[in-house]
Amino acid sequence: LHEEVEVSFDERCCDIMESRLICLDLVLEPRVSDLREMMEAYEYRGFPVVNNGRFIGYAKRTSLMAFIQHVQDGIVRLGLATFSSSQDEQASVPITLDVLLPYVDTTVMRMVPDTSLAQAHKVFKQLGVQNIFVVGSRPHDSTQDVLQGLLSKKKFLLALKSGAVGHRPNTSTSNDFRAPRAARTIVSWLQRGQQTQEQHEDATDLLGSHPTRDVERQPLAHS
């Protein structure tokens, strides 16, 4: 894999990240019934969890299903509900961060938008992660850790293999020159690790495409 060092990256994470995500935003005060409706509408394997745009973590579908079941069984109590509260009463109480947090993975990999793809490549290769959540700040806003997008290993591989990112320096006078052979070397290395992952780790399980929203929270209408 000596050719790998010949590939350099001028691009950043924000250049190829997916910015259209379906998120569970707690500032909208979603209820259990809303959460259930969202999971029925979008058959993804998990959802980013945010609070007014601030990234909290990633909740797998199985974890959210367990959360709903625990609420129904009375293991998890919402708000000021008592043990005598009915399932309908529980389903109408907004979900708060403190009760949902145990079901959210807050240890997922995060990077700022301007992080070089060279660093992202190292993370994918050395740590074996499948997704990098891109977080930063909003203009004219002091809020930090705002979710701006997601860079999946799958999308990185496709961009690298197609020559959209990564190049060999000092081998051509053209700035647009790409090195497909060197790129194929990295892709081959990464794909071997990719093939050992379960299908539910595929980045498409995380992404929700919305025609009009960029990293916009999913509105959960109260019925």
Side-chain angles (χ1 to χ4, degrees):
L1 299 180
H2 63 280
E3 289 180 309
E4 196 169 313
V5 298
E6 299 179 21
V7 178
S8 61
F9 297 90
D10 294 329
E11 301 82 7
R12 305 162 299 168
C13 288
C14 60
D15 294 328
I16 63 169
M17 70 181 184
E18 174 60 59
S19 60
R20 295 178 296 179
L21 308 175
I22 299 300
C23 301
L24 174 60
D25 195 340
L26 298 178
V27 78
L28 299 177
E29 298 185 342
R31 303 167 300 179
V32 170
S33 56
D34 298 321
L35 179 57
R36 188 183 294 110
E37 289 177 5
M38 185 184 74
M39 294 175 66
E40 290 175 354
Y42 302 98
E43 298 182 355
Y44 305 126
R45 302 285 181 163
F47 300 89
V49 178
V50 299
N51 191 4
N52 195 26
R54 182 175 177 273
F55 183 56
I56 304 300
Y58 170 68
K60 292 183 178 180
R61 188 181 191 88
T62 53
S63 297
L64 294 176
M65 292 175 62
F67 171 76
I68 293 174
Q69 188 62 50
H70 289 168
V71 172
Q72 293 176 344
D73 294 342
I75 299 175
V76 173
R77 313 303 297 179
L78 300 177
L80 300 176
T82 65
F83 285 98
S84 61
S85 300
S86 66
Q87 288 187 10
D88 290 340
E89 290 174 327
Q90 281 283 279
S92 65
V93 178
I95 300 171
T96 57
L97 178 59
D98 59 327
V99 296
L100 185 63
L101 197 58
Y103 301 85
V104 179
D105 182 3
T106 60
T107 65
V108 291
M109 179 60 61
R110 310 179 188 204
M111 287 186 175
V112 297
D114 288 336
T115 301
S116 169
L117 284 184
Q119 183 64 30
H121 166 230
K122 291 180 181 178
V123 168
F124 285 137
K125 174 184 174 182
Q126 297 176 4
L127 301 183
V129 301
Q130 297 299 304
N131 300 282
I132 296 173
F133 292 87
V134 182
V135 298
S137 59
R138 288 183 291 221
H140 313 296
D141 192 333
S142 60
T143 304
Q144 299 296 317
D145 291 334
V146 176
L147 180 61
Q148 300 188 5
L150 181 144
L151 175 59
S152 68
K153 185 175 181 179
K154 179 178 181 179
K155 187 164 187 176
F156 175 79
L157 288 172
L158 291 175
L160 184 61
K161 191 171 184 178
S162 68
V165 300
H167 64 92
R168 268 181 176 172
N170 304 322
T171 56
S172 172
T173 57
S174 171
N175 291 331
D176 294 329
F177 179 82
R178 293 293 183 266
R181 183 183 178 194
R184 283 198 300 269
T185 302
I186 299 179
V187 170
S188 177
W189 193 97
L190 288 171
Q191 282 179 334
R192 288 200 294 272
Q194 181 89 352
Q195 292 168 357
T196 64
Q197 302 293 329
E198 296 180 1
Q199 288 186 344
H200 73 270
E201 294 293 337
D202 193 295
T204 56
D205 295 329
L206 295 175
L207 301 178
S209 178
H210 195 289
T212 60
R213 295 184 177 88
D214 285 347
V215 192
E216 190 163 343
R217 53 186 178 271
Q218 174 62 23
L220 303 177
H222 289 197
S223 56

